[in-house]
Amino acid sequence: MGQTDSKKKLGRFELRVSEDDQDVAYLRLPSHPGETCKMSKSIRLAELMGSYTGPDVVLDFDQDGVLVGIEILA
């Protein structure tokens, strides 16, 4: 399987699992512009939902406030 293990393309969604840490993954949404994207804001799911107790999930927004990616830290 090789490189496809750490990078899986699902239609216009793209899931990347960190090669350094298998407990870290990043889901690029179709709205993600690519490698040069500058995130203007990142919000942890736990900040939005005080009672959330799952893995650390970070929502990334671009400069226009569009959700472009989701980082998951297990």
Side-chain angles (χ1 to χ4, degrees):
M1 289 190 171
Q3 291 180 332
T4 57
D5 287 343
S6 62
K7 183 178 176 183
K8 298 177 184 175
K9 289 188 177 183
L10 308 170
R12 292 181 47 200
F13 289 86
E14 184 179 323
L15 177 64
R16 291 184 178 192
V17 177
S18 172
E19 292 181 13
D20 299 330
D21 186 348
Q22 295 295 307
D23 290 336
V24 178
Y26 192 80
L27 177 63
R28 281 187 178 186
L29 302 178
S31 54
H32 197 288
E35 297 295 330
T36 60
C37 181
K38 294 186 179 182
M39 304 307 161
S40 74
K41 188 172 190 176
S42 294
I43 301 174
R44 285 189 148 63
L45 187 56
E47 293 173 21
L48 297 175
M49 301 174 58
S51 62
Y52 178 74
T53 59
D56 194 13
V57 176
V58 180
L59 307 173
D60 287 336
F61 296 87
D62 69 7
Q63 295 174 344
D64 296 323
V66 175
L67 179 63
V68 294
I70 301 170
E71 183 176 32
I72 304 148
L73 304 124

